[in-house]
Amino acid sequence: RKLHAQRAAALRELGRLPEALEAALNGLRFCPGDPELSLAEGRLRAELGDLHGARAALLALISGDAAGTFSSV
């Protein structure tokens, strides 16, 4: 899980936003509902201009159940 989040963050820092989003989405396939990856998804979608997708990702983040999930968010 953390590897996907770090990869997404590194790609974002390099300005490779589409690849960063793909890294976050790939992580979410393995860890659905992960708060850190969900936040990355929402942030990246917003930066890419997908405001509806960003809103959906962030609403899922704040309404999700992160109990039992270790996260730095």
Side-chain angles (χ1 to χ4, degrees):
R1 178 206 69 83
K2 191 65 174 176
L3 176 64
H4 295 286
Q6 289 177 337
R7 183 166 188 266
L11 289 166
R12 181 178 174 270
E13 287 295 318
L14 292 171
R16 296 163 55 181
L17 301 182
E19 291 173 81
L21 177 58
E22 184 57 38
L25 294 174
N26 192 34
L28 285 166
R29 282 186 208 100
F30 291 102
C31 303
D34 179 79
E36 187 172 8
L37 291 166
S38 296
L39 178 61
E41 178 192 1
R43 187 176 188 180
L44 287 160
R45 286 188 184 280
E47 291 173 354
L48 287 165
D50 177 8
L51 300 182
H52 287 81
R55 182 178 187 272
L58 296 173
L59 285 174
L61 171 65
I62 62 173
S63 65
D65 178 20
T69 303
F70 177 78
S71 179
S72 57
V73 174

